Amino acid sequence: MRHYLFFLLTLLTFAACSANEPDKSGVAQPGENNGVGYFSGKKVLVAYFSWGGTTKRMAEQIQDITGGDLFEIEPVVPYPTSYTPCTEVALEERDNDARPAIKNSVANWNEYDVIFLGGPVWWHTAPMILHTFAESYNFEGKTVVPFTTYASTYRDETLQAIVDMTPDAEHLEGLGLTSGSINKNRIQTWIDLINEQWGNLNPGGATAPMEGVVELWQRGNIPGFRENINNSDGPDFMPNMLVYTVPENVQPKGAVMICPGGAFAFRSMQNEGYDIADMLVPMGYQCFIVNYRINPYSMQASATDLQRAIRYVKAHAEDYRINPENIALVGFSAGGILNGEVLLNWRDLTNGTVLDSSYRPDELDNVPVSACAVGMIYSFYGRLSVSMNDVETLRAANLPPAFYCWGTRDGFAGQFTQNSNAVKEAGVRVETKVLEGFPHGYGSGGDDSVWGSDFDAFLTPIMQANTTAVNEMSADLAKNTTETYYDLNGRAVSPDTLSRGVYIVKSENSTRKVFKTN
Protein backbone atom coordinates (compact mmCIF):
# COMPACT_ATOMS: atom_id res chain seq x y z
CA MET A 1 0.00 0.00 0.00
CA ARG A 2 1.66 3.18 -1.17
CA HIS A 3 -1.14 5.61 -1.91
CA TYR A 4 -0.45 9.28 -1.29
CA LEU A 5 -2.83 12.15 -1.79
CA PHE A 6 -1.10 15.43 -2.54
CA PHE A 7 -2.34 18.91 -1.91
CA LEU A 8 -2.89 21.41 -4.78
CA LEU A 9 -1.53 21.37 -8.32
CA THR A 10 0.30 23.78 -10.55
CA LEU A 11 4.08 24.45 -12.67
CA LEU A 12 7.89 23.79 -13.66
CA THR A 13 10.42 21.30 -14.85
CA PHE A 14 13.41 23.23 -16.07
CA ALA A 15 13.81 27.02 -16.13
CA ALA A 16 16.42 29.67 -16.55
CA CYS A 17 19.23 29.30 -14.08
CA SER A 18 22.12 31.01 -12.46
CA ALA A 19 25.18 28.79 -12.55
CA ASN A 20 27.47 30.84 -10.36
CA GLU A 21 26.03 30.81 -6.86
CA PRO A 22 28.17 31.07 -3.71
CA ASP A 23 29.42 27.84 -2.14
CA LYS A 24 27.51 27.11 1.04
CA SER A 25 29.09 23.69 1.56
CA GLY A 26 28.15 22.13 4.88
CA VAL A 27 26.05 25.07 5.99
CA ALA A 28 22.28 25.19 6.32
CA GLN A 29 21.21 28.82 6.13
CA PRO A 30 19.05 29.74 9.16
CA GLY A 31 15.67 31.32 8.58
CA GLU A 32 14.82 34.77 9.88
CA ASN A 33 11.29 33.74 10.91
CA ASN A 34 11.36 31.73 14.13
CA GLY A 35 8.49 29.48 12.94
CA VAL A 36 6.83 29.59 16.36
CA GLY A 37 3.87 27.23 16.49
CA TYR A 38 4.91 24.93 13.65
CA PHE A 39 5.66 21.28 14.46
CA SER A 40 5.68 22.18 18.17
CA GLY A 41 9.06 23.83 17.90
CA LYS A 42 10.79 20.83 16.32
CA LYS A 43 13.79 21.78 14.20
CA VAL A 44 13.05 22.08 10.48
CA LEU A 45 15.39 21.69 7.50
CA VAL A 46 14.37 22.76 3.98
CA ALA A 47 16.64 20.82 1.60
CA TYR A 48 16.27 21.39 -2.13
CA PHE A 49 17.88 20.99 -5.52
CA SER A 50 17.18 23.76 -8.02
CA TRP A 51 18.55 24.07 -11.56
CA GLY A 52 16.78 27.15 -12.84
CA GLY A 53 15.85 28.87 -9.58
CA THR A 54 12.14 27.98 -9.46
CA THR A 55 12.44 25.28 -6.79
CA LYS A 56 14.73 27.64 -4.88
CA ARG A 57 11.94 30.25 -4.77
CA MET A 58 9.54 27.70 -3.37
CA ALA A 59 12.08 26.48 -0.82
CA GLU A 60 12.79 30.02 0.36
CA GLN A 61 9.09 30.65 0.96
CA ILE A 62 8.83 27.39 2.94
CA GLN A 63 11.79 28.53 5.01
CA ASP A 64 10.27 31.96 5.56
CA ILE A 65 7.04 30.48 6.92
CA THR A 66 8.45 27.64 9.00
CA GLY A 67 11.58 29.35 10.26
CA GLY A 68 13.58 26.29 9.18
CA ASP A 69 17.16 26.15 7.98
CA LEU A 70 17.75 26.24 4.21
CA PHE A 71 20.12 23.80 2.52
CA GLU A 72 20.82 23.76 -1.21
CA ILE A 73 21.84 20.41 -2.70
CA GLU A 74 24.66 21.22 -5.13
CA PRO A 75 26.31 18.79 -7.56
CA VAL A 76 30.07 18.36 -7.66
CA VAL A 77 29.84 18.55 -11.46
CA PRO A 78 27.40 21.36 -12.38
CA TYR A 79 24.64 20.63 -14.85
CA PRO A 80 24.75 22.42 -18.24
CA THR A 81 23.24 25.86 -18.06
CA SER A 82 21.43 25.47 -21.39
CA TYR A 83 18.06 23.73 -21.43
CA THR A 84 18.56 21.00 -24.06
CA PRO A 85 22.02 19.82 -22.92
CA CYS A 86 20.73 19.72 -19.33
CA THR A 87 17.77 17.54 -20.32
CA GLU A 88 20.11 15.15 -22.08
CA VAL A 89 22.30 14.78 -18.99
CA ALA A 90 19.23 14.35 -16.76
CA LEU A 91 17.81 11.62 -19.02
CA GLU A 92 21.09 9.73 -19.06
CA GLU A 93 21.28 9.87 -15.25
CA ARG A 94 17.72 8.61 -14.92
CA ASP A 95 18.20 5.75 -17.40
CA ASN A 96 21.40 4.63 -15.64
CA ASP A 97 20.00 5.05 -12.12
CA ALA A 98 22.95 7.35 -11.45
CA ARG A 99 23.89 8.93 -8.15
CA PRO A 100 25.47 12.32 -8.94
CA ALA A 101 27.95 13.38 -6.28
CA ILE A 102 26.99 16.23 -3.96
CA LYS A 103 29.69 18.74 -3.02
CA ASN A 104 28.13 19.91 0.24
CA SER A 105 26.63 18.19 3.29
CA VAL A 106 24.28 18.97 6.14
CA ALA A 107 26.01 19.78 9.39
CA ASN A 108 24.28 18.64 12.60
CA TRP A 109 21.86 16.36 10.70
CA ASN A 110 20.69 14.66 13.90
CA GLU A 111 19.30 17.94 15.22
CA TYR A 112 16.58 18.10 12.55
CA ASP A 113 13.18 16.49 13.07
CA VAL A 114 11.17 17.67 10.04
CA ILE A 115 12.79 17.64 6.59
CA PHE A 116 11.21 19.40 3.62
CA LEU A 117 12.85 17.74 0.60
CA GLY A 118 12.24 19.00 -2.92
CA GLY A 119 13.34 19.44 -6.49
CA PRO A 120 11.94 19.91 -9.98
CA VAL A 121 10.30 17.28 -12.17
CA TRP A 122 12.99 15.89 -14.48
CA TRP A 123 11.92 13.29 -17.01
CA HIS A 124 8.71 12.39 -15.18
CA THR A 125 10.32 11.93 -11.78
CA ALA A 126 12.68 13.44 -9.21
CA PRO A 127 16.26 14.32 -10.24
CA MET A 128 18.70 11.55 -9.41
CA ILE A 129 20.72 13.90 -7.20
CA LEU A 130 17.85 13.76 -4.70
CA HIS A 131 18.46 10.00 -4.46
CA THR A 132 22.09 10.75 -3.64
CA PHE A 133 20.98 13.08 -0.87
CA ALA A 134 18.39 10.65 0.51
CA GLU A 135 20.91 7.81 0.64
CA SER A 136 23.51 9.97 2.40
CA TYR A 137 21.59 10.39 5.67
CA ASN A 138 19.70 8.33 8.22
CA PHE A 139 16.01 9.28 8.02
CA GLU A 140 14.82 7.02 10.83
CA GLY A 141 12.76 9.06 13.27
CA LYS A 142 12.48 11.99 10.83
CA THR A 143 9.34 13.34 9.18
CA VAL A 144 9.77 14.11 5.47
CA VAL A 145 7.59 16.57 3.56
CA PRO A 146 8.06 16.28 -0.23
CA PHE A 147 7.70 19.27 -2.55
CA THR A 148 8.29 19.82 -6.24
CA THR A 149 7.99 22.32 -9.08
CA TYR A 150 6.81 21.27 -12.53
CA ALA A 151 5.75 22.50 -15.96
CA SER A 152 2.56 20.61 -16.73
CA THR A 153 2.39 17.10 -15.30
CA TYR A 154 4.11 14.27 -13.35
CA ARG A 155 3.74 16.22 -10.13
CA ASP A 156 2.33 13.29 -8.13
CA GLU A 157 4.87 10.82 -9.52
CA THR A 158 7.71 13.08 -8.39
CA LEU A 159 6.28 13.61 -4.92
CA GLN A 160 5.82 9.85 -4.65
CA ALA A 161 9.45 9.30 -5.72
CA ILE A 162 10.63 11.48 -2.84
CA VAL A 163 8.49 9.46 -0.44
CA ASP A 164 9.81 6.18 -1.83
CA MET A 165 13.45 7.25 -1.52
CA THR A 166 13.00 7.95 2.23
CA PRO A 167 11.24 4.76 3.42
CA ASP A 168 12.49 4.99 7.00
CA ALA A 169 10.84 8.37 7.58
CA GLU A 170 7.28 9.35 8.33
CA HIS A 171 5.68 11.49 5.62
CA LEU A 172 3.29 14.40 5.50
CA GLU A 173 1.24 15.55 2.54
CA GLY A 174 3.39 17.00 -0.23
CA LEU A 175 2.91 20.00 -2.50
CA GLY A 176 3.68 20.57 -6.18
CA LEU A 177 3.52 24.01 -7.77
CA THR A 178 4.13 25.49 -11.20
CA SER A 179 6.34 28.54 -11.48
CA GLY A 180 3.44 30.94 -11.80
CA SER A 181 1.56 29.53 -8.81
CA ILE A 182 4.35 29.85 -6.26
CA ASN A 183 2.99 32.34 -3.75
CA LYS A 184 3.03 32.68 -0.01
CA ASN A 185 -0.71 32.21 0.49
CA ARG A 186 -0.75 28.80 -1.18
CA ILE A 187 2.33 27.64 0.68
CA GLN A 188 1.00 29.04 3.97
CA THR A 189 -2.28 27.11 3.53
CA TRP A 190 -0.39 23.89 2.81
CA ILE A 191 1.95 24.27 5.78
CA ASP A 192 -0.98 25.01 8.09
CA LEU A 193 -2.59 21.78 6.88
CA ILE A 194 0.43 19.56 7.36
CA ASN A 195 1.21 21.17 10.71
CA GLU A 196 -2.25 20.07 11.86
CA GLN A 197 -1.67 16.58 10.45
CA TRP A 198 1.67 16.38 12.24
CA GLY A 199 0.09 17.43 15.53
CA ASN A 200 -2.68 14.85 15.16
CA LEU A 201 -0.19 12.05 14.55
CA ASN A 202 2.32 12.90 17.28
CA PRO A 203 0.84 12.33 20.76
CA GLY A 204 3.23 14.73 22.45
CA GLY A 205 3.57 16.94 19.45
CA ALA A 206 0.73 19.42 19.65
CA THR A 207 -2.21 20.45 21.75
CA ALA A 208 -5.25 18.41 20.76
CA PRO A 209 -8.17 20.40 19.33
CA MET A 210 -11.15 21.11 21.57
CA GLU A 211 -13.53 21.14 18.63
CA GLY A 212 -13.54 20.30 14.94
CA VAL A 213 -12.15 17.31 13.04
CA VAL A 214 -9.14 15.11 13.79
CA GLU A 215 -7.87 12.96 10.92
CA LEU A 216 -6.93 9.60 12.37
CA TRP A 217 -4.26 8.46 9.94
CA GLN A 218 -1.32 9.86 8.06
CA ARG A 219 -2.17 10.15 4.38
CA GLY A 220 -0.34 7.42 2.55
CA ASN A 221 -0.13 5.18 5.60
CA ILE A 222 -3.69 3.98 6.21
CA PRO A 223 -3.92 0.21 6.75
CA GLY A 224 -6.15 -1.39 4.15
CA PHE A 225 -6.78 1.84 2.23
CA ARG A 226 -8.00 1.43 -1.36
CA GLU A 227 -8.39 3.99 -4.10
CA ASN A 228 -11.72 4.92 -5.71
CA ILE A 229 -13.92 3.31 -3.10
CA ASN A 230 -17.56 3.60 -4.17
CA ASN A 231 -19.63 4.60 -1.16
CA SER A 232 -21.24 7.69 0.32
CA ASP A 233 -17.92 8.96 1.74
CA GLY A 234 -16.26 9.39 -1.65
CA PRO A 235 -12.81 8.23 -2.81
CA ASP A 236 -10.84 10.80 -0.80
CA PHE A 237 -12.42 10.00 2.58
CA MET A 238 -10.06 10.07 5.54
CA PRO A 239 -11.24 8.27 8.70
CA ASN A 240 -11.68 10.94 11.34
CA MET A 241 -13.41 11.91 14.54
CA LEU A 242 -15.46 14.95 15.48
CA VAL A 243 -14.53 16.59 18.77
CA TYR A 244 -17.10 17.99 21.23
CA THR A 245 -15.84 19.14 24.63
CA VAL A 246 -17.18 20.57 27.87
CA PRO A 247 -16.56 24.25 28.73
CA GLU A 248 -13.17 25.10 30.20
CA ASN A 249 -14.73 25.91 33.57
CA VAL A 250 -16.20 22.39 33.85
CA GLN A 251 -14.09 19.48 35.07
CA PRO A 252 -14.83 16.56 32.71
CA LYS A 253 -15.64 13.15 34.13
CA GLY A 254 -13.95 11.38 31.23
CA ALA A 255 -14.35 10.74 27.52
CA VAL A 256 -16.94 8.88 25.47
CA MET A 257 -16.18 7.57 21.99
CA ILE A 258 -19.44 7.59 19.98
CA CYS A 259 -19.90 5.11 17.12
CA PRO A 260 -23.04 5.70 15.04
CA GLY A 261 -24.71 2.70 13.39
CA GLY A 262 -25.84 2.12 9.84
CA ALA A 263 -25.12 -1.55 9.01
CA PHE A 264 -21.59 -0.51 7.90
CA ALA A 265 -23.27 0.91 4.77
CA PHE A 266 -23.59 4.46 6.15
CA ARG A 267 -23.35 6.25 9.50
CA SER A 268 -26.48 7.61 11.15
CA MET A 269 -24.78 10.84 12.16
CA GLN A 270 -27.66 13.01 13.36
CA ASN A 271 -29.62 10.53 15.39
CA GLU A 272 -26.71 8.40 16.69
CA GLY A 273 -23.89 10.93 16.57
CA TYR A 274 -24.63 14.62 16.96
CA ASP A 275 -27.67 14.08 19.19
CA ILE A 276 -25.65 11.80 21.47
CA ALA A 277 -22.81 14.30 21.85
CA ASP A 278 -25.37 17.03 22.57
CA MET A 279 -26.79 14.82 25.31
CA LEU A 280 -23.52 13.66 26.92
CA VAL A 281 -21.40 16.84 26.84
CA PRO A 282 -23.69 18.69 29.31
CA MET A 283 -23.36 15.67 31.60
CA GLY A 284 -19.60 16.30 31.78
CA TYR A 285 -18.13 14.03 29.08
CA GLN A 286 -15.64 14.95 26.39
CA CYS A 287 -17.21 13.37 23.29
CA PHE A 288 -15.68 12.06 20.08
CA ILE A 289 -17.84 10.88 17.18
CA VAL A 290 -15.85 8.35 15.17
CA ASN A 291 -16.27 8.43 11.38
CA TYR A 292 -14.96 4.94 10.71
CA ARG A 293 -14.77 3.30 7.29
CA ILE A 294 -17.87 1.60 5.90
CA ASN A 295 -18.59 -0.92 3.13
CA PRO A 296 -16.92 -2.04 0.96
CA TYR A 297 -14.26 -1.86 3.66
CA SER A 298 -14.19 -4.76 6.11
CA MET A 299 -15.23 -4.51 9.74
CA GLN A 300 -11.56 -5.07 10.60
CA ALA A 301 -10.66 -1.87 8.72
CA SER A 302 -13.39 -0.07 10.66
CA ALA A 303 -11.97 -1.52 13.89
CA THR A 304 -8.51 -0.10 13.18
CA ASP A 305 -10.14 3.33 12.81
CA LEU A 306 -11.86 3.11 16.19
CA GLN A 307 -8.72 1.66 17.75
CA ARG A 308 -6.77 4.61 16.39
CA ALA A 309 -9.31 7.11 17.74
CA ILE A 310 -9.07 5.60 21.24
CA ARG A 311 -5.30 5.82 21.08
CA TYR A 312 -5.43 9.45 20.03
CA VAL A 313 -7.70 10.45 22.92
CA LYS A 314 -5.67 8.44 25.42
CA ALA A 315 -2.41 9.97 24.15
CA HIS A 316 -3.92 13.46 24.50
CA ALA A 317 -5.65 12.81 27.82
CA GLU A 318 -3.81 15.69 29.46
CA ASP A 319 -5.05 18.11 26.80
CA TYR A 320 -8.60 16.85 27.28
CA ARG A 321 -8.20 17.06 31.09
CA ILE A 322 -9.16 13.43 31.69
CA ASN A 323 -7.68 10.35 33.31
CA PRO A 324 -6.40 8.27 30.34
CA GLU A 325 -8.17 5.23 31.80
CA ASN A 326 -11.52 7.05 31.76
CA ILE A 327 -12.42 6.43 28.14
CA ALA A 328 -15.76 4.73 27.52
CA LEU A 329 -17.34 3.53 24.28
CA VAL A 330 -20.95 3.81 23.20
CA GLY A 331 -22.21 2.33 19.97
CA PHE A 332 -25.53 2.00 18.19
CA SER A 333 -26.41 -1.12 16.21
CA ALA A 334 -23.41 -1.64 13.88
CA GLY A 335 -21.49 0.94 15.92
CA GLY A 336 -21.90 -1.21 19.03
CA ILE A 337 -20.81 -4.28 17.09
CA LEU A 338 -17.72 -2.30 16.10
CA ASN A 339 -17.05 -1.52 19.77
CA GLY A 340 -17.23 -5.23 20.45
CA GLU A 341 -14.81 -6.03 17.63
CA VAL A 342 -12.22 -3.69 19.14
CA LEU A 343 -12.69 -4.99 22.67
CA LEU A 344 -12.53 -8.63 21.56
CA ASN A 345 -9.81 -8.46 18.92
CA TRP A 346 -8.05 -5.07 18.71
CA ARG A 347 -6.83 -4.45 22.25
CA ASP A 348 -3.37 -3.80 23.67
CA LEU A 349 -0.63 -3.12 21.12
CA THR A 350 -2.08 -4.73 17.99
CA ASN A 351 -1.94 -2.34 15.06
CA GLY A 352 -2.67 -1.98 11.37
CA THR A 353 0.01 -4.49 10.35
CA VAL A 354 -2.46 -7.25 11.30
CA LEU A 355 -4.72 -5.94 8.54
CA ASP A 356 -2.09 -4.68 6.10
CA SER A 357 1.55 -5.81 6.15
CA SER A 358 2.68 -2.63 4.35
CA TYR A 359 1.38 -0.39 7.16
CA ARG A 360 4.20 1.40 8.97
CA PRO A 361 3.55 1.65 12.74
CA ASP A 362 4.12 5.04 14.34
CA GLU A 363 4.25 6.58 17.80
CA LEU A 364 0.51 6.30 18.39
CA ASP A 365 0.71 2.53 17.94
CA ASN A 366 2.63 2.37 21.22
CA VAL A 367 -0.45 3.56 23.11
CA PRO A 368 -2.45 0.63 24.55
CA VAL A 369 -6.15 0.38 23.66
CA SER A 370 -8.67 -0.07 26.44
CA ALA A 371 -12.06 1.15 27.60
CA CYS A 372 -13.38 1.53 31.13
CA ALA A 373 -16.95 0.76 30.01
CA VAL A 374 -19.06 0.15 26.92
CA GLY A 375 -22.60 1.14 26.02
CA MET A 376 -24.38 -1.34 23.74
CA ILE A 377 -27.40 0.62 22.52
CA TYR A 378 -29.59 -1.82 20.56
CA SER A 379 -26.41 -3.77 19.86
CA PHE A 380 -24.32 -6.75 20.98
CA TYR A 381 -20.97 -8.50 20.68
CA GLY A 382 -20.91 -10.33 17.36
CA ARG A 383 -21.49 -9.64 13.67
CA LEU A 384 -24.33 -7.99 11.80
CA SER A 385 -27.57 -9.76 12.74
CA VAL A 386 -25.78 -12.47 14.75
CA SER A 387 -24.72 -12.15 18.38
CA MET A 388 -21.66 -13.97 19.73
CA ASN A 389 -22.62 -15.66 22.99
CA ASP A 390 -19.70 -18.00 23.69
CA VAL A 391 -19.10 -17.43 27.38
CA GLU A 392 -15.49 -18.62 27.42
CA THR A 393 -14.51 -16.35 24.54
CA LEU A 394 -16.17 -13.42 26.29
CA ARG A 395 -14.50 -14.32 29.58
CA ALA A 396 -11.05 -14.56 27.99
CA ALA A 397 -11.42 -11.06 26.49
CA ASN A 398 -11.48 -9.42 29.95
CA LEU A 399 -14.31 -7.12 28.86
CA PRO A 400 -15.20 -3.87 30.65
CA PRO A 401 -18.55 -3.23 32.38
CA ALA A 402 -21.38 -3.04 29.86
CA PHE A 403 -24.61 -1.03 29.66
CA TYR A 404 -27.26 -2.56 27.37
CA CYS A 405 -30.36 -0.74 26.19
CA TRP A 406 -32.96 -1.91 23.68
CA GLY A 407 -36.65 -1.66 22.92
CA THR A 408 -39.31 -4.36 23.11
CA ARG A 409 -40.35 -3.73 19.49
CA ASP A 410 -36.82 -4.33 18.20
CA GLY A 411 -36.55 -7.48 16.04
CA PHE A 412 -33.21 -8.26 17.70
CA ALA A 413 -34.54 -8.01 21.28
CA GLY A 414 -34.08 -11.72 21.85
CA GLN A 415 -30.44 -11.59 20.77
CA PHE A 416 -29.75 -8.56 22.97
CA THR A 417 -31.12 -10.53 25.92
CA GLN A 418 -29.02 -13.60 25.08
CA ASN A 419 -25.84 -11.61 24.59
CA SER A 420 -26.17 -9.51 27.73
CA ASN A 421 -26.81 -12.71 29.73
CA ALA A 422 -23.75 -14.39 28.19
CA VAL A 423 -21.57 -11.37 28.99
CA LYS A 424 -22.85 -11.40 32.57
CA GLU A 425 -22.15 -15.13 32.83
CA ALA A 426 -18.59 -14.40 31.67
CA GLY A 427 -18.11 -12.42 34.89
CA VAL A 428 -18.61 -8.94 33.49
CA ARG A 429 -20.69 -6.34 35.29
CA VAL A 430 -23.80 -5.76 33.14
CA GLU A 431 -26.65 -3.31 33.47
CA THR A 432 -29.68 -3.45 31.18
CA LYS A 433 -32.50 -1.07 30.38
CA VAL A 434 -35.40 -2.32 28.28
CA LEU A 435 -37.65 0.34 26.74
CA GLU A 436 -41.27 -0.65 26.42
CA GLY A 437 -42.62 -0.12 22.90
CA PHE A 438 -39.38 1.25 21.43
CA PRO A 439 -38.17 -0.01 18.01
CA HIS A 440 -34.66 -0.23 16.61
CA GLY A 441 -32.83 3.03 15.85
CA TYR A 442 -34.26 5.47 18.40
CA GLY A 443 -30.90 7.18 19.08
CA SER A 444 -31.11 9.31 22.22
CA GLY A 445 -34.86 8.77 22.36
CA GLY A 446 -35.33 12.53 22.30
CA ASP A 447 -34.74 13.06 26.00
CA ASP A 448 -32.06 12.33 28.61
CA SER A 449 -34.57 10.37 30.67
CA VAL A 450 -35.01 7.67 28.01
CA TRP A 451 -31.60 6.11 28.70
CA GLY A 452 -28.99 8.91 28.84
CA SER A 453 -29.32 9.64 32.55
CA ASP A 454 -29.08 5.90 33.33
CA PHE A 455 -25.94 5.63 31.23
CA ASP A 456 -24.49 8.62 33.09
CA ALA A 457 -25.33 6.99 36.43
CA PHE A 458 -23.62 3.82 35.19
CA LEU A 459 -20.45 5.59 33.98
CA THR A 460 -19.90 8.15 36.74
CA PRO A 461 -18.90 5.78 39.59
CA ILE A 462 -16.67 3.77 37.24
CA MET A 463 -14.74 6.87 36.24
CA GLN A 464 -14.66 8.24 39.78
CA ALA A 465 -13.19 4.95 41.02
CA ASN A 466 -10.49 5.06 38.34
CA THR A 467 -9.55 8.60 39.31
CA THR A 468 -9.44 7.72 43.01
CA ALA A 469 -7.24 4.69 42.31
CA VAL A 470 -4.80 6.76 40.26
CA ASN A 471 -4.62 9.46 42.93
CA GLU A 472 -3.99 6.89 45.66
CA MET A 473 -1.39 5.18 43.53
CA SER A 474 0.38 8.48 42.83
CA ALA A 475 0.55 9.23 46.54
CA ASP A 476 1.89 5.74 47.21
CA LEU A 477 4.46 6.02 44.44
CA ALA A 478 5.75 9.28 45.84
CA LYS A 479 6.85 7.44 49.00
CA ASN A 480 8.89 4.84 47.12
CA THR A 481 12.51 5.19 46.13
CA THR A 482 12.96 1.73 44.54
CA GLU A 483 11.35 0.36 41.38
CA THR A 484 7.82 -0.89 42.01
CA TYR A 485 5.20 -2.31 39.64
CA TYR A 486 1.50 -1.44 39.87
CA ASP A 487 -1.49 -2.63 37.91
CA LEU A 488 -3.97 -0.10 36.48
CA ASN A 489 -6.08 -0.34 39.64
CA GLY A 490 -3.16 0.93 41.69
CA ARG A 491 -2.30 -2.39 43.34
CA ALA A 492 1.37 -3.26 43.79
CA VAL A 493 2.35 -6.48 41.99
CA SER A 494 5.45 -8.61 41.86
CA PRO A 495 7.47 -8.32 38.61
CA ASP A 496 8.02 -12.08 38.73
CA THR A 497 4.31 -12.86 38.46
CA LEU A 498 3.23 -10.37 35.78
CA SER A 499 0.88 -11.62 33.08
CA ARG A 500 0.28 -9.95 29.72
CA GLY A 501 -1.00 -6.40 30.19
CA VAL A 502 -0.23 -2.77 31.00
CA TYR A 503 1.56 -1.79 34.23
CA ILE A 504 2.86 1.38 35.83
CA VAL A 505 6.47 1.29 37.02
CA LYS A 506 7.90 3.71 39.56
CA SER A 507 11.67 4.02 39.73
CA GLU A 508 13.75 6.44 41.73
CA ASN A 509 13.71 9.03 38.95
CA SER A 510 10.59 8.41 36.90
CA THR A 511 7.14 6.91 36.55
CA ARG A 512 6.36 5.14 33.29
CA LYS A 513 3.76 2.86 31.73
CA VAL A 514 4.94 -0.46 30.29
CA PHE A 515 3.28 -3.23 28.30
CA LYS A 516 4.11 -6.81 29.30
CA THR A 517 3.87 -9.09 26.26
CA ASN A 518 3.99 -12.47 28.00
Side-chain angles (χ1 to χ4, degrees), residues 55-326:
T55 306
K56 179 180 180 180
R57 282 198 291 123
M58 186 174 177
E60 288 173 342
Q61 291 199 26
I62 294 170
Q63 177 202 31
D64 184 57
I65 293 169
T66 63
D69 294 343
L70 195 65
F71 180 81
E72 182 175 4
I73 301 167
E74 299 179 86
V76 170
V77 179
Y79 289 98
T81 57
S82 298
Y83 177 83
T84 299
C86 187
T87 64
E88 292 170 348
V89 172
L91 179 60
E92 183 178 2
E93 288 182 348
R94 187 203 69 176
D95 290 346
N96 289 284
D97 196 27
R99 296 294 186 269
I102 298 173
K103 73 176 182 180
N104 49 352
S105 61
V106 177
N108 302 319
W109 170 259
N110 291 334
E111 295 180 3
Y112 295 102
D113 302 290
V114 179
I115 316 294
F116 286 80
L117 180 57
V121 174
W122 274 14
W123 290 107
H124 311 163
T125 188
M128 301 311 297
I129 196 169
L130 291 189
H131 288 266
T132 308
F133 180 86
E135 293 168 8
S136 300
Y137 301 95
N138 179 8
F139 280 84
E140 187 172 357
K142 311 290 188 186
T143 297
V144 167
V145 188
F147 67 96
T148 190
T149 55
Y150 67 106
S152 60
T153 189
Y154 294 102
R155 174 203 62 184
D156 289 357
E157 290 83 352
T158 302
L159 292 169
Q160 182 65 56
I162 296 171
V163 169
D164 291 342
M165 68 180 70
T166 54
D168 294 332
E170 298 298 329
H171 299 91
L172 295 177
E173 190 168 336
L175 175 65
L177 294 176
T178 60
S179 178
S181 63
I182 295 174
N183 65 72
K184 194 165 186 178
N185 287 338
R186 288 194 177 207
I187 295 175
Q188 180 79 63
T189 300
W190 166 57
I191 291 174
D192 287 343
L193 171 70
I194 61 174
N195 181 66
E196 183 178 349
Q197 290 177 348
W198 188 90
N200 289 348
L201 298 169
N202 289 270
T207 301
M210 295 298 109
E211 60 181 9
V213 179
V214 172
E215 290 189 349
L216 296 174
W217 302 100
Q218 179 180 334
R219 292 178 185 268
N221 193 29
I222 309 172
F225 181 86
R226 290 178 281 161
E227 296 184 52
N228 300 318
I229 285 294
N230 184 22
N231 63 26
S232 58
D233 287 325
D236 295 332
F237 172 73
M238 276 286 291
N240 63 75
M241 64 181 182
L242 308 180
V243 180
Y244 297 83
T245 55
V246 302
E248 291 186 4
N249 62 348
V250 174
Q251 177 58 46
K253 298 175 183 178
V256 179
M257 316 297 298
I258 301 170
C259 288
F264 294 105
F266 63 95
R267 290 178 299 276
S268 182
M269 293 300 293
Q270 183 64 57
N271 167 19
E272 298 169 353
Y274 309 136
D275 289 352
I276 307 307
D278 288 344
M279 177 177 71
L280 294 178
V281 167
M283 295 178 180
Y285 300 99
Q286 312 284 42
C287 288
F288 305 87
I289 303 174
V290 183
N291 283 316
Y292 54 88
R293 281 171 282 181
I294 57 177
N295 284 336
Y297 286 107
S298 67
M299 187 167 75
Q300 287 70 34
S302 306
T304 63
D305 295 340
L306 174 55
Q307 178 196 51
R308 184 78 167 182
I310 296 168
R311 283 185 164 137
Y312 181 89
V313 174
K314 182 167 288 193
H316 291 90
E318 183 175 352
D319 291 335
Y320 291 119
R321 299 185 291 128
I322 63 169
N323 177 340
E325 303 309 319
N326 281 346

Side-chain angles (χ1 to χ4, degrees), residues 232-472:
S232 58
D233 287 325
D236 295 332
F237 172 73
M238 276 286 291
N240 63 75
M241 64 181 182
L242 308 180
V243 180
Y244 297 83
T245 55
V246 302
E248 291 186 4
N249 62 348
V250 174
Q251 177 58 46
K253 298 175 183 178
V256 179
M257 316 297 298
I258 301 170
C259 288
F264 294 105
F266 63 95
R267 290 178 299 276
S268 182
M269 293 300 293
Q270 183 64 57
N271 167 19
E272 298 169 353
Y274 309 136
D275 289 352
I276 307 307
D278 288 344
M279 177 177 71
L280 294 178
V281 167
M283 295 178 180
Y285 300 99
Q286 312 284 42
C287 288
F288 305 87
I289 303 174
V290 183
N291 283 316
Y292 54 88
R293 281 171 282 181
I294 57 177
N295 284 336
Y297 286 107
S298 67
M299 187 167 75
Q300 287 70 34
S302 306
T304 63
D305 295 340
L306 174 55
Q307 178 196 51
R308 184 78 167 182
I310 296 168
R311 283 185 164 137
Y312 181 89
V313 174
K314 182 167 288 193
H316 291 90
E318 183 175 352
D319 291 335
Y320 291 119
R321 299 185 291 128
I322 63 169
N323 177 340
E325 303 309 319
N326 281 346
I327 299 175
L329 312 179
V330 64
F332 301 78
S333 193
I337 291 171
L338 180 60
N339 288 343
E341 178 71 8
V342 169
L343 294 173
L344 287 172
N345 299 313
W346 293 86
R347 296 273 290 275
D348 301 325
L349 295 183
T350 57
N351 61 49
T353 56
V354 177
L355 180 70
D356 183 343
S357 61
S358 68
Y359 171 71
R360 303 183 305 281
D362 60 19
E363 189 176 353
L364 268 182
D365 289 307
N366 295 322
V367 179
V369 175
S370 62
C372 67
V374 61
M376 292 288 191
I377 312 303
Y378 42 89
S379 191
F380 46 54
Y381 287 95
R383 294 289 188 271
L384 281 179
S385 305
V386 182
S387 61
M388 197 287 290
N389 303 319
D390 183 80
V391 172
E392 291 311 311
T393 299
L394 295 168
R395 191 192 313 278
N398 191 27
L399 300 173
F403 177 90
Y404 284 79
C405 183
W406 68 86
T408 57
R409 287 177 52 210
D410 195 316
F412 294 98
Q415 292 202 59
F416 301 145
T417 302
Q418 292 171 10
N419 189 244
S420 60
N421 287 340
V423 172
K424 184 181 297 185
E425 188 178 344
V428 178
R429 177 191 162 197
V430 173
E431 289 192 16
T432 60
K433 184 175 180 66
V434 181
L435 305 175
E436 186 64 35
F438 276 71
H440 197 83
Y442 50 79
S444 68
D447 189 273
D448 297 359
S449 63
V450 175
W451 63 269
S453 57
D454 295 276
F455 187 56
D456 177 38
F458 166 77
L459 281 183
T460 298
I462 293 172
M463 292 184 172
Q464 287 178 342
N466 285 342
T467 300
T468 300
V470 168
N471 290 342
E472 290 177 350

Side-chain angles (χ1 to χ4, degrees), residues 30-51:
E32 296 180 3
N33 187 333
N34 60 15
V36 172
Y38 287 111
F39 310 110
S40 294
K42 298 294 185 180
K43 195 164 185 180
V44 175
L45 177 70
V46 184
Y48 72 96
F49 166 71
S50 182
W51 176 76

